[in-house]
Amino acid sequence: MSERIAYRAGDLDCEAYVARPVGPGPHPAVLIAPTVRGPTPLEYRKADALAADGYIAIVIDHYGRDQRDLGERAFALMNALLADRATLRRQLLDTLAFAKELDGVDQARIAIIGYCFGGLCALDLARTGTDEVKGAVAIHGVFQPPELGPQPPIRAKILVLHGWDDPLATPDAVLGLTKELTEAGADWQLHAYGHTVHGFTNPDANVEGRIVYSALADTRANAALAQFLGEILA
């Protein structure tokens, strides 16, 4: 069962896609932060799959409910948030507060996963130091730190699923992230897939040499994600 639910995040009127498992709750919840494109059928399918596995899956909204079918305009909206990470942080914390109050959500068992820009969002929520998310997963994410002052201890467990040849997150950026997470005391793990670039979980990815689907990396990433969620949300 799925539904769309309005919520407020920062200064935005947003809309979440919420997929629910069968049976009475409370259930663990997984927030899904979309790519730069905002919510698309890719994220909705992932939410439905997670619901089938027993999670309340919540596709979150970066840009507001009136921003859909964005095309190239999505990059300007993303870049505005990248330039104002304090606003992005506030939106993410408001979204977490919304998710906690959803009917049937077990407030003690919440995680966030994200794709591309959504991977950065997942990391940024963990970077707040909140203990209200058990884990954060960046899937072909980008890693720029928010530079919002001293980094508090990161309490959420971190999983990074990464294509080693991703031109948007080079090996130097990956090593920078692992140094950041280590210094913040995070429990982190990195799965890097060789000969794999950006967007490897998206069957429609087709920018040669830059954004390309990989069935093998997708299968491996899904297995790693399932194991991680099972561990932290048990």
Side-chain angles (χ1 to χ4, degrees):
M1 180 182 72
S2 64
E3 59 183 323
R4 296 176 189 269
I5 301 177
Y7 70 100
R8 186 81 174 171
D11 296 328
L12 297 179
D13 291 317
C14 297
E15 182 179 80
Y17 176 93
V18 180
R20 298 180 181 275
V22 175
H27 299 285
V30 179
L31 282 66
I32 302 173
T35 75
V36 58
R37 302 289 182 183
T40 70
L42 177 70
E43 289 83 15
Y44 302 150
R45 289 194 298 270
K46 187 61 182 179
D48 293 341
L50 286 170
D53 288 336
Y55 302 102
I56 295 177
I58 305 157
V59 179
I60 70 174
D61 188 352
H62 302 313
Y63 309 134
R65 64 190 304 179
D66 58 340
Q67 300 284 0
R68 294 292 187 269
D69 301 319
L70 294 170
E72 295 305 305
R73 291 191 300 118
F75 291 91
L77 294 171
M78 177 189 71
N79 287 334
L81 288 173
L82 289 175
D84 186 357
R85 298 286 278 278
T87 290
L88 178 59
R89 174 173 287 189
R90 182 160 58 100
Q91 290 180 193
L92 291 166
L93 289 170
D94 287 350
T95 300
L96 174 60
F98 155 74
K100 287 177 59 183
E101 298 305 319
L102 279 175
D103 184 50
V105 167
D106 182 343
Q107 295 186 357
R109 294 190 293 164
I110 299 175
I112 182 170
I113 71 174
Y115 299 85
C116 181
F117 172 59
L120 178 141
C121 293
L123 292 171
D124 269 15
L125 185 55
R127 284 164 166 148
T128 67
T130 181
D131 61 0
E132 295 183 325
V133 288
K134 296 301 182 185
V137 184
I139 305 166
H140 42 82
V142 288
F143 304 143
Q144 301 98 309
E147 298 181 354
L148 293 175
Q151 174 60 58
I154 293 177
R155 296 175 173 85
K157 294 183 179 182
I158 305 294
L159 173 63
V160 179
L161 302 173
H162 177 66
W164 191 248
D165 296 325
D166 188 337
L168 304 184
T170 64
D172 284 346
V174 177
L175 293 176
L177 175 66
T178 61
K179 182 176 185 291
E180 174 195 351
L181 295 175
T182 298
E183 291 176 349
D187 177 345
W188 64 267
Q189 54 184 300
L190 164 69
H191 295 217
Y193 306 112
H195 314 291
T196 303
V197 292
H198 196 71
F200 59 82
T201 67
N202 183 355
D204 296 324
N206 61 358
V207 180
E208 185 63 34
R210 290 181 59 83
I211 307 174
V212 180
Y213 177 65
S214 167
L216 180 58
D218 188 17
T219 297
R220 289 172 171 172
N222 279 327
L225 175 62
Q227 190 280 329
F228 182 75
L229 292 178
E231 171 193 324
I232 66 171
L233 299 180

